Short mmCIF file of all heavy atoms in Angstrom, two decimals:
data_model
loop_
_atom_site.label_atom_id
_atom_site.label_comp_id
_atom_site.label_asym_id
_atom_site.label_seq_id
_atom_site.Cartn_x
_atom_site.Cartn_y
_atom_site.Cartn_z
N PRO B 103 11.55 129.56 124.93
CA PRO B 103 12.78 129.00 124.36
C PRO B 103 14.00 129.71 124.93
O PRO B 103 13.94 130.92 125.20
CB PRO B 103 12.63 129.27 122.85
CG PRO B 103 11.15 129.35 122.64
CD PRO B 103 10.59 129.97 123.89
N PHE B 104 15.08 128.98 125.10
CA PHE B 104 16.26 129.53 125.79
C PHE B 104 16.75 130.81 125.13
O PHE B 104 17.06 131.80 125.81
CB PHE B 104 17.38 128.48 125.82
CG PHE B 104 18.54 128.89 126.67
CD1 PHE B 104 18.51 128.70 128.04
CD2 PHE B 104 19.67 129.47 126.11
CE1 PHE B 104 19.59 129.08 128.84
CE2 PHE B 104 20.75 129.85 126.89
CZ PHE B 104 20.70 129.65 128.26
N TRP B 105 16.82 130.83 123.81
CA TRP B 105 17.39 132.00 123.14
C TRP B 105 16.53 133.24 123.32
O TRP B 105 17.06 134.37 123.38
CB TRP B 105 17.63 131.72 121.65
CG TRP B 105 16.38 131.60 120.81
CD1 TRP B 105 15.68 130.47 120.53
CD2 TRP B 105 15.70 132.68 120.14
NE1 TRP B 105 14.58 130.76 119.74
CE2 TRP B 105 14.58 132.11 119.47
CE3 TRP B 105 15.93 134.04 120.02
CZ2 TRP B 105 13.69 132.87 118.73
CZ3 TRP B 105 15.03 134.81 119.28
CH2 TRP B 105 13.94 134.22 118.64
N THR B 106 15.20 133.05 123.44
CA THR B 106 14.34 134.22 123.67
C THR B 106 14.52 134.75 125.10
O THR B 106 14.40 135.95 125.34
CB THR B 106 12.85 133.88 123.43
OG1 THR B 106 12.45 132.83 124.32
CG2 THR B 106 12.62 133.45 121.99
N GLN B 107 14.83 133.86 126.03
CA GLN B 107 15.13 134.30 127.39
C GLN B 107 16.42 135.12 127.40
O GLN B 107 16.53 136.11 128.14
CB GLN B 107 15.27 133.09 128.32
CG GLN B 107 13.99 132.31 128.54
CD GLN B 107 14.19 131.19 129.53
OE1 GLN B 107 14.64 131.41 130.66
NE2 GLN B 107 13.87 129.96 129.12
N VAL B 108 17.38 134.72 126.59
CA VAL B 108 18.65 135.46 126.49
C VAL B 108 18.39 136.86 125.93
O VAL B 108 18.93 137.85 126.44
CB VAL B 108 19.67 134.69 125.62
CG1 VAL B 108 20.88 135.58 125.32
CG2 VAL B 108 20.11 133.41 126.30
N VAL B 109 17.56 136.95 124.90
CA VAL B 109 17.22 138.25 124.31
C VAL B 109 16.55 139.14 125.36
O VAL B 109 16.89 140.33 125.50
CB VAL B 109 16.31 138.08 123.08
CG1 VAL B 109 15.79 139.44 122.61
CG2 VAL B 109 17.06 137.38 121.95
N LEU B 110 15.61 138.59 126.11
CA LEU B 110 14.93 139.35 127.15
C LEU B 110 15.93 139.81 128.21
O LEU B 110 15.89 140.96 128.66
CB LEU B 110 13.84 138.49 127.80
CG LEU B 110 13.10 139.12 128.99
CD1 LEU B 110 12.34 140.37 128.55
CD2 LEU B 110 12.14 138.11 129.63
N ALA B 111 16.83 138.92 128.60
CA ALA B 111 17.84 139.25 129.61
C ALA B 111 18.72 140.41 129.14
O ALA B 111 19.04 141.32 129.91
CB ALA B 111 18.69 138.03 129.92
N ILE B 112 19.10 140.40 127.87
CA ILE B 112 19.96 141.45 127.32
C ILE B 112 19.23 142.79 127.34
O ILE B 112 19.80 143.82 127.74
CB ILE B 112 20.39 141.09 125.88
CG1 ILE B 112 21.41 139.94 125.91
CG2 ILE B 112 20.98 142.31 125.17
CD1 ILE B 112 21.76 139.40 124.54
N ILE B 113 17.96 142.80 126.94
CA ILE B 113 17.20 144.05 126.90
C ILE B 113 17.03 144.63 128.30
O ILE B 113 17.22 145.83 128.53
CB ILE B 113 15.83 143.82 126.24
CG1 ILE B 113 16.01 143.46 124.76
CG2 ILE B 113 14.94 145.06 126.39
CD1 ILE B 113 14.72 143.03 124.06
N ILE B 114 16.70 143.77 129.26
CA ILE B 114 16.51 144.23 130.64
C ILE B 114 17.82 144.78 131.19
O ILE B 114 17.85 145.87 131.80
CB ILE B 114 15.99 143.08 131.52
CG1 ILE B 114 14.56 142.71 131.13
CG2 ILE B 114 16.07 143.45 133.00
CD1 ILE B 114 14.04 141.47 131.82
N LEU B 115 18.90 144.07 130.99
CA LEU B 115 20.21 144.51 131.47
C LEU B 115 20.61 145.83 130.82
O LEU B 115 21.17 146.72 131.47
CB LEU B 115 21.26 143.44 131.19
CG LEU B 115 22.67 143.69 131.73
CD1 LEU B 115 22.66 143.55 133.26
CD2 LEU B 115 23.66 142.70 131.13
#
Side-chain angles (χ1 to χ4, degrees):
F104 188 82
W105 70 269
T106 60
Q107 294 183 55
V108 170
V109 171
L110 176 63
I112 289 173
I113 294 172
I114 291 172
L115 185 70

